[in-house]
């Protein structure tokens, strides 16, 4: 859909604007240090994206955003535990698969991607003491799924934001390994310097 067609479709234009605000909140949330503020911003983003998806018939994405919204509210209220977290994952997958089957003709195969994206990321962050690279890799997979879904459903904000999220997650993962390699290399260099100095003394 080009820009002129978008202007002639007030409903879709409204959905674009609402979702862009939602995605901006997601982006801003990544720089927030307090957990409560982060969850409030993410929850608001989930709500806005769900509204936008409801306006444009992106039912699979709508279900996952609503499940994430409710889960975040439980976390904010400190009602969440491992059992409830697993229930939310199963709930998201169950309802998501049902909606995917029901809406298969409209969403086609990519309608299952938001379900996969939400499930795999939720499972990874549920792992005790999960390592940073695994979280980044999970975010890359999640972003890829959502980007393909946005492209398939012809919803530009979802496609563009998740393409950006993929690039940022990939860059962050690469920088993490580069930093770790430097940290592991420094002690060896120090050890070699110490050995050389001993040779000079001898």
């Amino acid at each position: 859909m080009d820009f002129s067609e978008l202007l002639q479709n007030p409903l879709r234009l409204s959905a674009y604007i609402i979702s862009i605000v939602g995605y901006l909140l997601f982006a801003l949330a990544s720089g927030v240090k307090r957990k409560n503020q982060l969850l409030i911003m993410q929850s608001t983003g989930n709500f806005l994206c769900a509204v936008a998806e409801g306006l444009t018939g992106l039912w699979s994405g709508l279900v996952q955003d609503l499940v994430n919204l409710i889960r975040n509210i439980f976390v904010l209220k400190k009602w969440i535990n491992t059992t409830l977290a697993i229930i939310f994952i199963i709930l998201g997958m169950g309802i998501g698969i049902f909606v995917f089957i029901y809406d298969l003709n409209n969403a086609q195969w990519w309608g299952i991607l938001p379900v996969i994206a939400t499930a795999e990321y939720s499972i990874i962050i549920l792992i005790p003491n999960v390592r940073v690279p695994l979280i980044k890799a999970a975010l890359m997979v999640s972003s890829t799924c959502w980007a393909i879904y946005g492209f398939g459903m012809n919803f530009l904000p979802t496609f563009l934001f998740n393409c950006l999220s993929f690039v940022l997650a990939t860059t962050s993962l690469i920088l993490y390994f580069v930093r770790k390699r430097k940290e592991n290399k420094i002690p060896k260099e120090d050890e070699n310097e110490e050995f050389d100095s001993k040779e000079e003394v001898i």
Side-chain angles (χ1 to χ4, degrees):
M1 179 181 288
D2 58 31
F3 190 67
S4 60
E5 289 178 348
L6 186 63
L7 290 176
Q8 293 170 13
N9 190 335
L11 196 65
R12 195 168 184 87
L13 179 60
S14 299
Y16 265 51
I17 294 169
I18 291 168
S19 64
I20 288 170
V21 175
Y23 284 128
L24 282 175
L25 284 173
F26 282 127
L28 292 172
S30 62
V32 173
K33 293 182 179 179
R34 291 185 179 179
K35 185 178 179 180
N36 279 5
Q37 289 180 340
L38 183 144
L39 286 169
I40 290 169
M41 292 176 75
Q42 284 185 339
S43 299
T44 307
N46 284 133
F47 174 76
L48 291 173
C49 287
V51 170
E53 288 155 351
L55 290 173
T56 49
L58 277 71
W59 307 119
S60 185
L62 168 64
V63 168
Q64 300 309 312
D65 273 312
L66 286 179
V67 170
N68 288 334
L69 170 61
I70 296 168
R71 184 197 60 209
N72 283 348
I73 291 172
F74 270 67
V75 175
L76 272 169
K77 294 291 185 179
K78 298 181 179 178
W79 296 338
I80 200 74
N81 54 40
T82 304
T83 303
L84 276 174
I86 293 170
I87 289 172
F88 275 117
I89 294 171
I90 295 170
L91 191 66
M93 291 178 66
I95 299 175
I97 291 170
F98 173 79
V99 170
F100 165 67
I101 294 170
Y102 179 79
D103 195 40
L104 184 58
N105 290 333
N106 177 48
Q108 301 186 46
W109 65 267
W110 47 74
I112 196 67
L113 293 178
V115 182
I116 296 171
T118 303
E120 66 89 21
Y121 187 74
S122 298
I123 291 168
I124 291 300
I125 61 173
L126 196 60
I127 298 171
N129 302 318
V130 61
R131 294 175 64 83
V132 171
L134 193 55
I135 295 175
K136 299 295 183 184
L139 186 56
M140 288 165 62
V141 173
S142 177
S143 299
T144 301
C145 289
W146 278 103
I148 295 171
Y149 176 70
F151 181 80
M153 297 302 291
N154 193 28
F155 198 71
L156 199 58
T158 298
F159 172 69
L160 292 178
F161 176 80
N162 285 285
C163 283
L164 178 60
S165 294
F166 176 83
V167 171
L168 292 175
T170 304
T171 304
S172 178
L173 185 61
I174 293 169
L175 291 174
Y176 174 85
F177 282 118
V178 169
R179 187 170 63 251
K180 281 293 181 183
R181 188 176 179 183
K182 287 181 178 179
E183 289 174 358
N184 293 333
K185 197 174 179 181
I186 290 171
K188 292 180 180 179
E189 291 176 348
D190 292 343
E191 185 181 338
N192 290 336
E193 288 175 5
E194 184 179 355
F195 181 75
D196 292 342
S197 65
K198 285 182 180 178
E199 277 190 336
E200 290 173 4
V201 171
I202 293 171

